[in-house]
Amino acid sequence: MRAGPYGTTDLPVLLPFRPGARGAAEPAPGLGAAWGVALALVFALSAGIAEAQSDAGRPSTVATILKWTPLLAQGFALNILISFLAMAIGTAAGTVLGLCQISLLPPVRTGSWFMTQFFRNSPWLVLLFYCMLLLPFEVNVGGHIVPLPDWFKATVGLALPVMANVSELVRGAIRSIPFGQWEAADALAFSRRQILWMIILPQCVKRMTPPWMNLYAILTVATPLCSIVGVNEAMTLTGDALAAEARNELLVPMYAYLLLWFFLYCYPISRATVALEKRFAVK
Amino acid sequence: MSPAGHVTRTEAPLIHIADVHKSFGKVEVLKGVSLDVAKGEVICVIGPSGSGKSTLLRCINALVPIDRGSIVVDGQEVNDPRLDKLQLRRKVGMVFQQYNLFPHRTAIENVMMAPIHVLKQDRREVESRARRLIAKVRLEGKEDAYPGELSGGQQQRVAIARSLAMNPEIMLFDEVTAALDPETVKEVLVTIRELAEEGMTCAIVTHEMGFAREVADHVYFTDRGVIVEHGPPREFFAQAKDPRTRQFLSQIL
Ligand SMILES: Nc1ncnc2c1ncn2[C@@H]1O[C@H](COP(=O)(O)OP(=O)(O)OP(=O)(O)O)[C@@H](O)[C@H]1O
Ligand SMILES: [Mg+2]
């Protein structure tokens, strides 16, 4: 627990407001770049070693990897789609849940608090399994049978922890707004709903954006979990490609290649997060 | 001079406070406070820190519910579970020590928000009124500045304009100059004095004794949740009777 200008919080995602204090999941900018370079080196080196180990006459490592790249890209696109959808669903549901956490009705407050804590402290993989098992493979929407593909069920599974984290983010941000804002708005005869939507939440958006982006990056790197429940995303397809090639020396370069993809996607987001934090900190 | 001469004390008071008690947990902050404010009257409340001055003001517009007693504002009983708080607060403007402007809105938007969204008035009409009010508090040219770009004194004057935009019948000021630099205190006090001279009913909590003496029709001294002594400023400051009042005045003057 740390007390800061925004009050005491146990929320790692809220900490990045203070320059110098960052969530553990997010590397410092310099470190991040170093990690990227290291990754590229591992990839190049392992590709080289694989090349040396390959039997003569087989296609080169680089050529093999390039051959599988379109398939990998297809899988990666699914990772991104899952991350977008899970983030959208999680943010919408989490905002509602976060608002419920500050409800004036004690049962609503307690219920939403419990739900938030439950999903925030459950392993993502377990939630993923539960969604795969508990959601039906099709739903009846007003007479129409809509199939629920596996990847969508997995998306819902990932949206749950996102929802819980956003809920905490919303609650923490609302609580960090000085009480005087409520009091002044009360004195001007605004209703509670108006105060929330016109005065409190707009101020929260700015405070929430960097940790929200941080959460998105964490979600994105968690999407390969879906491969465990059989979704054909990049991780699964990499495994398939390796199985098809049946060449052990390809293991390390192929997975390093996949890591590189995720890194290239997530690193700019984390840099943007840091830049935003800095900009907001100045003001 | 103050508009004291115009106040007819025979009318029903605009604010009637009788035997108000308020506790926070075990601490009794108001222990039977009674006072009346007539329409157009300006009262100043002075007293040591923690004596319940802010709490008293907050009770008048129902920001703080009272435990016992009665507060009637313009015929409306505040200590009534069926009270329409929003209705009451439209009549009572309040300005705070910490300004509490909405930082994500410009000065003029701060002034315009409540009339548009609470009173549902026409935006263009509100805007021209807001411009007049900003001019009135001498901030022409600052309409589009964000609160963070204004000095404390300027922010406090925007806060006054924001309250006035609701056309309140009563204004409450809670130590509105306490957070300001000495140089900017005056500009805010001038604004309040003009309001008082225009006949606005004001309840002012202040540590500025010179200002209280000049602007008030009646001065109240509170200590530990009770009104120890009160009177017209000339008598009050010249010949306080209670030893606690004297001691407080000797410390502060
Ligand atoms: N919301 C609250 N919850 C608990 N205690 C409170 C609350 N508001 C005020 N108090 C307490 O009530 C007492 C009176 O506070 P109040 O703010 O009315 O005093 P004041 O006369 O305005 O003092 P100051 O000159 O320092 O502003 C103080 O002891 C304060 O700690
Ligand atoms: Mg006070």
Side-chain angles (χ1 to χ4, degrees):
Chain A
M1 298 279 262
R2 324 178 45 156
Y6 300 104
T8 309
T9 173
D10 57 346
L11 246 190
V13 271
L14 267 183
L15 294 177
F17 290 123
R18 255 163 285 124
R22 242 183 239 107
E26 191 196 1
L31 252 161
W35 166 233
V37 171
L39 203 56
L41 273 177
V42 167
F43 174 63
L45 208 70
S46 59
I49 294 169
E51 198 58 60
Q53 289 174 345
S54 301
D55 302 327
R58 282 192 163 182
S60 78
T61 312
V62 172
T64 315
I65 286 174
L66 280 181
K67 185 180 83 183
W68 289 106
T69 294
L71 188 71
L72 238 72
Q74 213 181 316
F76 192 73
L78 185 58
N79 288 71
I80 301 307
L81 178 67
I82 290 174
S83 73
F84 274 5
L85 270 180
M87 198 65 193
I89 297 169
T91 301
T95 305
V96 173
L97 196 61
L99 289 174
C100 287
Q101 283 204 77
I102 58 146
S103 164
L104 295 178
L105 304 171
V108 175
R109 209 165 50 223
T110 314
S112 55
W113 176 84
F114 183 80
M115 199 161 147
T116 302
Q117 293 307 319
F118 178 80
F119 286 117
R120 218 162 79 91
N121 296 297
S122 304
W124 293 31
L125 190 54
V126 179
L127 293 175
L128 207 54
F129 265 98
Y130 261 106
C131 278
M132 301 307 283
L133 293 172
L134 295 180
L135 290 178
F137 63 93
E138 56 182 31
V139 283
N140 193 331
V141 185
H144 292 274
I145 301 291
V146 180
L148 280 188
D150 273 358
W151 68 265
F152 186 77
K153 289 201 238 175
T155 303
V156 174
L158 289 176
L160 289 175
V162 172
M163 170 189 77
N165 279 287
V166 170
S167 169
E168 273 303 85
L169 220 57
V170 169
R171 188 186 68 102
I174 290 175
R175 280 187 37 184
S176 75
I177 304 292
F179 181 68
Q181 293 285 306
W182 285 92
E183 208 169 34
D186 269 334
L188 287 165
F190 283 101
S191 68
R192 186 174 162 87
R193 179 174 297 235
Q194 284 176 322
I195 296 174
L196 260 181
W197 287 99
M198 292 168 42
I199 292 151
I200 305 298
L201 287 178
Q203 296 183 51
C204 291
V205 168
K206 198 167 141 182
R207 297 172 181 216
M208 280 173 49
T209 303
W212 181 81
M213 286 166 59
N214 199 19
L215 179 63
Y216 175 70
I218 293 172
L219 167 70
T220 306
V221 296
T223 52
L225 286 174
C226 299
S227 77
I228 302 177
V229 293
V231 175
N232 281 330
E233 49 69 71
M235 180 79 181
T236 312
L237 294 181
T238 305
D240 289 352
L242 284 166
E245 290 289 339
R247 286 164 62 187
N248 274 341
E249 75 273 14
L250 280 179
L251 267 171
V252 175
M254 275 291 252
Y255 282 121
Y257 186 52
L258 183 63
L259 279 178
L260 207 54
W261 278 68
F262 276 98
F263 179 83
L264 289 178
Y265 184 76
C266 289
Y267 185 62
I269 296 175
S270 107
R271 285 316 303 264
T273 308
V274 173
L276 271 185
E277 275 164 24
K278 277 201 190 120
R279 221 177 75 200
F280 293 165
V282 172
K283 189 157 166 40
Chain B
M1 256 320 279
S2 72
H6 308 299
V7 179
T8 12
R9 281 216 173 234
T10 47
E11 281 176 39
L14 194 51
I15 306 174
H16 173 69
I17 299 176
D19 196 32
V20 165
H21 291 256
K22 173 68 193 178
S23 305
F24 290 109
K26 286 203 166 60
V27 188
E28 194 171 23
V29 176
L30 298 178
K31 303 171 186 162
V33 173
S34 302
L35 65 85
D36 283 351
V37 186
K39 188 168 170 50
E41 193 181 6
V42 176
I43 66 153
C44 283
V45 180
I46 63 173
S49 180
S51 60
K53 308 180 296 294
S54 301
T55 308
L56 180 63
L57 282 197
R58 281 165 167 75
C59 290
I60 296 175
N61 65 350
L63 283 181
V64 170
I66 63 176
D67 301 334
R68 197 143 61 81
S70 162
I71 299 180
V72 180
V73 175
D74 195 22
Q76 235 175 341
E77 172 60 61
V78 175
N79 189 19
D80 177 347
R82 288 161 308 171
L83 166 79
D84 182 350
K85 283 187 190 168
L86 303 190
Q87 179 66 29
L88 167 73
R89 288 170 187 164
R90 285 172 198 185
K91 281 184 221 162
V92 185
M94 184 160 188
V95 185
F96 301 85
Q97 180 174 346
Q98 296 299 337
Y99 342 129
N100 298 341
L101 291 180
F102 306 132
H104 60 302
R105 297 293 191 108
T106 61
I108 194 157
E109 284 171 347
N110 264 276
V111 178
M112 290 168 62
M113 270 173 91
I116 290 175
H117 298 285
V118 174
L119 304 178
K120 314 283 181 206
Q121 292 172 343
D122 176 64
R123 173 176 273 275
R124 261 176 314 172
E125 208 178 287
V126 171
E127 183 173 343
S128 66
R129 181 148 41 97
R131 289 193 187 281
R132 280 204 305 278
L133 283 170
I134 285 186
K136 183 184 164 73
V137 297
R138 299 190 183 81
L139 284 172
E140 293 109 319
K142 296 290 184 189
E143 287 85 354
D144 297 319
Y146 282 92
E149 299 162 349
L150 298 173
S151 74
Q154 292 172 331
Q155 288 192 57
Q156 195 57 291
R157 284 180 284 155
V158 174
I160 293 172
R162 178 175 72 172
S163 264
L164 292 175
M166 294 289 279
N167 280 327
E169 290 173 39
I170 299 162
M171 285 290 283
L172 310 175
F173 295 93
D174 189 3
E175 293 191 37
V176 295
T177 56
L180 300 177
D181 303 331
E183 313 90 72
T184 51
V185 166
K186 204 166 162 222
E187 64 195 29
V188 173
L189 292 184
V190 165
T191 304
I192 299 175
R193 186 169 50 212
E194 281 173 3
L195 269 179
E197 281 165 1
E198 287 164 17
M200 176 66 78
T201 309
C202 298
I204 304 171
V205 171
T206 185
H207 283 307
E208 302 282 335
M209 293 305 138
F211 176 69
R213 193 196 312 243
E214 204 182 322
V215 80
D217 298 312
H218 215 78
V219 179
Y220 293 82
F221 173 70
T222 58
D223 189 23
R224 285 174 235 153
V226 293
I227 292 175
V228 175
E229 189 161 9
H230 64 94
R234 211 174 305 193
E235 296 166 26
F236 179 89
F237 287 107
Q239 40 198 317
K241 295 174 198 80
D242 194 281
R244 277 184 283 178
T245 320
R246 287 171 179 236
Q247 196 202 348
F248 178 77
L249 289 178
S250 68
Q251 276 168 0
I252 206 153
L253 289 176

